[in-house]
Amino acid sequence: MKTGDIWLAHLDQIRTLDRVRLVKRLGALRQATLAATLQTLQAMFAP
């Protein structure tokens, strides 16, 4: 992966990962992206 690559995650297909299963860290989300992702997940799983 090079700088500037765009990644897409389908939030309805996210799996829980154990740290043991992770081979290497590919990067980190920007705070705004993380906030938007968490907000979407909360809306998806709200009763």
Side-chain angles (χ1 to χ4, degrees):
M1 180 173 81
K2 59 186 181 286
T3 305
D5 284 351
I6 297 174
W7 290 79
L8 177 66
H10 291 271
L11 296 180
D12 58 344
Q13 296 178 352
I14 289 179
R15 291 177 47 184
T16 301
L17 292 176
D18 186 346
R19 288 181 184 264
V20 175
R21 294 178 63 193
L22 295 176
V23 176
K24 69 178 182 175
R25 183 179 290 238
L26 295 177
L29 294 175
R30 287 178 275 149
Q31 187 62 35
T33 303
L34 179 59
T37 301
L38 292 175
Q39 185 177 20
T40 301
L41 288 170
Q42 287 175 335
M44 286 175 58
F45 294 106

